[in-house]
Amino acid sequence: TQGAHNEKIVLTWSKAAGATAYEIQRSISGDFNFESVGYSGNTTFQDNAVQEDVAYDYRVLSIRDQRKSDPEQSMIAKGYAATQVKPAPPAPIVPPVLSNRPARVENLAATDGVYNDKIVVTWDSVPGATKYWIVRFDRATGSWNELAWSPKNRFEDTSAEALSGQRQAYSVRAANAKELGDEARPVWGAVNANASRATEIPDAPTDVKAELKGNKVVLSWKAVTKASEYYVFRRRFNAGRWDLAATAKQARFNENFPGAPGELWYYVVRAKLANGGESVESAIAAVAMNAERPVIRARYTSDSELAAFQGNWGGEVSAGGKMQVVSLVISASGDNYAVSISAGGRSKKLAGKYIARSNELNAGGLVIRRVAANPNLLSVTCRDRAVCAAPFRDTLYRTQ
């Protein structure tokens, strides 16, 4: 968020395939001295230890079990809290959406040597999906072939190919009435001719979710058919051993956060039948209690940073399919700035407060960014027709 709150910055990002958790890192904007500020088991994070009107850079590392993604490959996003909170923009009026593209299937799994007469494929359900498309890799043709459609997040492969003893590769895509989602990361499964038929083995629990409510970890999952109880295991994310946390009769469990603030913990669940048959472990669900950090307040001198914006700027830009002359006059006083813009035959004056360590001025629908490689250029984006006759994004030159 950029100026949406005066006491926090809220981050969101897209889910990374295969990620069990995320580490959030922060730096004062432009310093590139990133440090960890916390973990998240989902795709959002709230940073409360921020100074108002100071820009921060953030990057997010995905974690898969105990391995982290390369920090240098992470995109960087800028955020800041503001003493003068910007009003939220009005929600755009859009036509009703009849169908949204389903998300990618996550936590796809196939039994490997559990049964002697089938391979069971399971996955987490996808919100909005009405059915799932299961495909299997054909070694003879080197292609993926349709195996079945399933209304549930489970499929049993009892075909001759599955019973041949060779390992089989599977992938699944969620679907609704209109569209297919992206394919899941493939998994391998196999039958075991020597597996005992005496004991029935339940499916592993799916849709396992963990969240922190106050100081409590609240764990939930989809109930497994015929399961009489569940075993809940936990471990700190960088520990090597799982510990039994509890035996649960229902598809839910809660306990006080088992570690210290600043730690990330993992949970998995196994299902058990009354006859003793026990499933393999579920996918990992992650939860973190982030440590409270003090707000480190520093004095930032904005004069030199604002000086790079001050002056007269102009140029001819492409807007609304036509060329129009645009001119800017930017002045500053302390941390405050004023912008006079002339575009498309209309003029307007805008003002704002400079965000320390930021490379931009953001005044309503007008965003002005420095061009690092050339101090005599500004990148200007105008989205507000009340400010410019037609929206544009172009470069202006220093004229004075």
Side-chain angles (χ1 to χ4, degrees), residues 105 161 184 192 280 340 395:
V105 166
E161 291 82 357
N192 179 2
V280 297
S340 294
T395 301

Side-chain angles (χ1 to χ4, degrees), residues 7 11 14 22 29 53 80 95 106 110 125 146 160 162 187 189 198 207 251 262 270 297 322 333 339 359 394 399:
E7 79 291 352
L11 287 77
S14 299
Y22 304 90
S29 185
D53 302 320
Y80 60 88
E106 299 289 347
S125 56
E146 178 179 309
V187 295
D207 296 338
R270 294 180 185 172
R297 297 190 176 274
K322 298 179 180 180
S333 175
V339 180
N359 67 342
D394 216 321
T399 59

Side-chain angles (χ1 to χ4, degrees), residues 101-106 108 121-126 128-136 144-154 170-176 178-186:
R101 190 165 186 257
R104 183 199 302 269
V105 166
E106 299 289 347
L108 181 64
V121 185
T122 58
W123 56 92
D124 285 354
S125 56
V126 175
T130 56
K131 56 185 177 180
Y132 301 91
W133 188 38
I134 303 104
V135 295
R136 186 178 62 197
W144 291 89
N145 295 335
E146 178 179 309
L147 187 59
W149 288 88
S150 173
K152 300 179 179 180
N153 56 333
R154 184 183 193 277
Y170 300 89
S171 184
V172 177
R173 299 173 73 178
N176 55 27
K178 292 282 186 179
E179 295 181 276
L180 278 168
D182 292 335
E183 63 274 8
R185 184 189 298 270

Side-chain angles (χ1 to χ4, degrees), residues 301-344:
T301 303
S302 303
D303 295 351
S304 60
E305 297 176 21
L306 266 173
F309 292 97
Q310 293 185 75
N312 296 347
W313 307 82
E316 195 173 23
V317 306
S318 175
K322 298 179 180 180
M323 301 302 294
Q324 67 178 18
V325 175
V326 175
S327 64
L328 297 179
V329 178
I330 304 175
S331 59
S333 175
D335 291 338
N336 299 305
Y337 63 86
V339 180
S340 294
I341 179 173
S342 175

